[in-house]
mmCIF file of all heavy atoms in Angstrom:
data_model
loop_
_atom_site.group_PDB
_atom_site.id
_atom_site.type_symbol
_atom_site.label_atom_id
_atom_site.label_comp_id
_atom_site.label_asym_id
_atom_site.label_seq_id
_atom_site.Cartn_x
_atom_site.Cartn_y
_atom_site.Cartn_z
ATOM 1 N N LYS A 255 -9.304 -1.825 9.879
ATOM 2 C CA LYS A 255 -10.243 -2.878 9.393
ATOM 3 C C LYS A 255 -10.428 -4.192 10.192
ATOM 4 O O LYS A 255 -11.511 -4.316 10.725
ATOM 5 C CB LYS A 255 -9.827 -3.165 7.951
ATOM 6 C CG LYS A 255 -10.092 -2.047 6.932
ATOM 7 C CD LYS A 255 -9.621 -2.374 5.576
ATOM 8 C CE LYS A 255 -9.986 -1.190 4.597
ATOM 9 N NZ LYS A 255 -11.298 -1.325 4.062
ATOM 10 N N PRO A 256 -9.476 -5.080 10.245
ATOM 11 C CA PRO A 256 -9.731 -6.342 10.890
ATOM 12 C C PRO A 256 -9.587 -6.310 12.411
ATOM 13 O O PRO A 256 -9.812 -7.327 13.043
ATOM 14 C CB PRO A 256 -8.630 -7.286 10.230
ATOM 15 C CG PRO A 256 -7.557 -6.416 10.052
ATOM 16 C CD PRO A 256 -8.087 -5.009 9.748
ATOM 17 N N LEU A 257 -9.206 -5.124 12.945
ATOM 18 C CA LEU A 257 -8.748 -5.056 14.367
ATOM 19 C C LEU A 257 -9.744 -5.717 15.303
ATOM 20 O O LEU A 257 -9.399 -6.403 16.246
ATOM 21 C CB LEU A 257 -8.389 -3.688 14.718
ATOM 22 C CG LEU A 257 -7.888 -3.373 16.122
ATOM 23 C CD1 LEU A 257 -6.701 -4.226 16.439
ATOM 24 C CD2 LEU A 257 -7.518 -1.860 16.323
ATOM 25 N N ALA A 258 -11.080 -5.357 15.237
ATOM 26 C CA ALA A 258 -12.041 -5.839 16.148
ATOM 27 C C ALA A 258 -13.019 -6.771 15.523
ATOM 28 O O ALA A 258 -14.220 -6.847 15.910
ATOM 29 C CB ALA A 258 -12.783 -4.671 16.796
ATOM 30 N N ALA A 259 -12.583 -7.567 14.560
ATOM 31 C CA ALA A 259 -13.269 -8.748 13.916
ATOM 32 C C ALA A 259 -14.667 -8.273 13.362
ATOM 33 O O ALA A 259 -15.616 -9.065 13.304
ATOM 34 C CB ALA A 259 -13.514 -9.801 14.997
ATOM 35 N N GLY A 260 -14.818 -7.020 12.927
ATOM 36 C CA GLY A 260 -16.005 -6.578 12.303
ATOM 37 C C GLY A 260 -16.717 -5.417 13.025
ATOM 38 O O GLY A 260 -17.551 -4.766 12.448
ATOM 39 N N LEU A 261 -16.295 -5.196 14.279
ATOM 40 C CA LEU A 261 -16.814 -4.002 14.978
ATOM 41 C C LEU A 261 -15.866 -2.867 14.647
ATOM 42 O O LEU A 261 -14.696 -3.054 14.376
ATOM 43 C CB LEU A 261 -16.896 -4.249 16.479
ATOM 44 C CG LEU A 261 -17.908 -5.282 16.920
ATOM 45 C CD1 LEU A 261 -18.036 -5.112 18.467
ATOM 46 C CD2 LEU A 261 -19.265 -5.064 16.263
ATOM 47 N N PRO A 262 -16.388 -1.643 14.658
ATOM 48 C CA PRO A 262 -15.503 -0.505 14.305
ATOM 49 C C PRO A 262 -14.538 -0.211 15.355
ATOM 50 O O PRO A 262 -14.869 0.088 16.574
ATOM 51 C CB PRO A 262 -16.498 0.645 14.104
ATOM 52 C CG PRO A 262 -17.796 0.132 14.477
ATOM 53 C CD PRO A 262 -17.716 -1.268 14.957
ATOM 54 N N LEU A 263 -13.191 -0.303 15.007
ATOM 55 C CA LEU A 263 -12.163 0.043 15.860
ATOM 56 C C LEU A 263 -10.951 0.341 15.004
ATOM 57 O O LEU A 263 -10.639 -0.384 14.084
ATOM 58 C CB LEU A 263 -11.840 -1.036 16.832
ATOM 59 C CG LEU A 263 -10.736 -0.803 17.947
ATOM 60 C CD1 LEU A 263 -11.130 0.333 18.846
ATOM 61 C CD2 LEU A 263 -10.368 -2.036 18.721
ATOM 62 N N ALA A 264 -10.128 1.396 15.410
ATOM 63 C CA ALA A 264 -8.998 1.753 14.682
ATOM 64 C C ALA A 264 -7.987 2.160 15.657
ATOM 65 O O ALA A 264 -8.327 2.594 16.820
ATOM 66 C CB ALA A 264 -9.197 2.851 13.694
ATOM 67 N N ALA A 265 -6.716 2.158 15.370
ATOM 68 C CA ALA A 265 -5.621 2.472 16.286
ATOM 69 C C ALA A 265 -4.579 3.219 15.662
ATOM 70 O O ALA A 265 -4.098 2.946 14.504
ATOM 71 C CB ALA A 265 -5.154 1.278 17.003
ATOM 72 N N MET A 266 -4.130 4.383 16.276
ATOM 73 C CA MET A 266 -2.892 5.076 15.876
ATOM 74 C C MET A 266 -1.808 4.653 16.922
ATOM 75 O O MET A 266 -2.019 4.992 18.093
ATOM 76 C CB MET A 266 -3.182 6.617 15.942
ATOM 77 C CG MET A 266 -1.920 7.395 15.785
ATOM 78 S SD MET A 266 -2.146 9.153 15.380
ATOM 79 C CE MET A 266 -2.898 9.757 16.908
ATOM 80 N N ILE A 267 -0.808 4.029 16.436
ATOM 81 C CA ILE A 267 0.255 3.503 17.343
ATOM 82 C C ILE A 267 1.443 4.411 17.097
ATOM 83 O O ILE A 267 1.894 4.630 16.012
ATOM 84 C CB ILE A 267 0.625 2.085 17.058
ATOM 85 C CG1 ILE A 267 -0.648 1.240 16.783
ATOM 86 C CG2 ILE A 267 1.374 1.544 18.132
ATOM 87 C CD1 ILE A 267 -0.418 -0.205 16.167
ATOM 88 N N ALA A 268 2.005 5.003 18.144
ATOM 89 C CA ALA A 268 3.101 6.024 17.918
ATOM 90 C C ALA A 268 4.226 5.863 18.890
ATOM 91 O O ALA A 268 4.094 5.282 19.929
ATOM 92 C CB ALA A 268 2.498 7.384 18.141
ATOM 93 N N ARG A 269 5.338 6.440 18.386
ATOM 94 C CA ARG A 269 6.510 6.534 19.180
ATOM 95 C C ARG A 269 6.333 7.453 20.404
ATOM 96 O O ARG A 269 5.620 8.440 20.288
ATOM 97 C CB ARG A 269 7.666 7.070 18.312
ATOM 98 C CG ARG A 269 9.047 6.522 18.656
ATOM 99 C CD ARG A 269 10.027 7.228 17.682
ATOM 100 N NE ARG A 269 10.075 8.632 17.905
ATOM 101 C CZ ARG A 269 10.360 9.549 16.983
ATOM 102 N NH1 ARG A 269 10.609 9.071 15.760
ATOM 103 N NH2 ARG A 269 10.352 10.819 17.222
ATOM 104 N N ASP A 270 6.920 7.165 21.509
ATOM 105 C CA ASP A 270 6.655 7.910 22.748
ATOM 106 C C ASP A 270 6.844 9.412 22.578
ATOM 107 O O ASP A 270 5.843 10.147 22.917
ATOM 108 C CB ASP A 270 7.577 7.459 23.883
ATOM 109 C CG ASP A 270 7.239 7.926 25.183
ATOM 110 O OD1 ASP A 270 5.957 7.821 25.527
ATOM 111 O OD2 ASP A 270 8.079 8.429 25.899
ATOM 112 N N ASP A 271 7.928 9.875 22.075
ATOM 113 C CA ASP A 271 8.070 11.337 21.979
ATOM 114 C C ASP A 271 7.086 12.097 21.010
ATOM 115 O O ASP A 271 6.642 13.139 21.302
ATOM 116 C CB ASP A 271 9.521 11.752 21.777
ATOM 117 C CG ASP A 271 9.982 11.334 20.368
ATOM 118 O OD1 ASP A 271 9.483 10.300 19.847
ATOM 119 O OD2 ASP A 271 10.795 12.046 19.704
ATOM 120 N N ALA A 272 6.775 11.347 19.964
ATOM 121 C CA ALA A 272 5.779 11.906 19.021
ATOM 122 C C ALA A 272 4.375 11.838 19.698
ATOM 123 O O ALA A 272 3.674 12.947 19.684
ATOM 124 C CB ALA A 272 5.665 11.059 17.780
ATOM 125 N N ALA A 273 4.084 10.784 20.389
ATOM 126 C CA ALA A 273 2.722 10.663 21.050
ATOM 127 C C ALA A 273 2.521 11.783 22.123
ATOM 128 O O ALA A 273 1.448 12.263 22.300
ATOM 129 C CB ALA A 273 2.624 9.336 21.708
ATOM 130 N N LYS A 274 3.610 12.235 22.705
ATOM 131 C CA LYS A 274 3.585 13.164 23.786
ATOM 132 C C LYS A 274 3.228 14.589 23.229
ATOM 133 O O LYS A 274 3.163 15.533 24.024
ATOM 134 C CB LYS A 274 4.731 13.100 24.596
ATOM 135 C CG LYS A 274 4.709 11.907 25.579
ATOM 136 C CD LYS A 274 5.917 11.936 26.462
ATOM 137 C CE LYS A 274 5.807 10.710 27.450
ATOM 138 N NZ LYS A 274 7.102 10.439 28.045
ATOM 139 N N ALA A 275 3.268 14.730 21.890
ATOM 140 C CA ALA A 275 2.848 15.974 21.278
ATOM 141 C C ALA A 275 1.367 16.242 21.624
ATOM 142 O O ALA A 275 0.913 17.486 21.430
ATOM 143 C CB ALA A 275 3.174 15.992 19.892
#
Side-chain angles (χ1 to χ4, degrees):
K255 288 176 178 281
L257 181 56
L261 293 192
L263 182 66
M266 168 165 71
I267 318 166
R269 211 182 63 209
D270 192 49
D271 66 328
K274 285 182 176 160

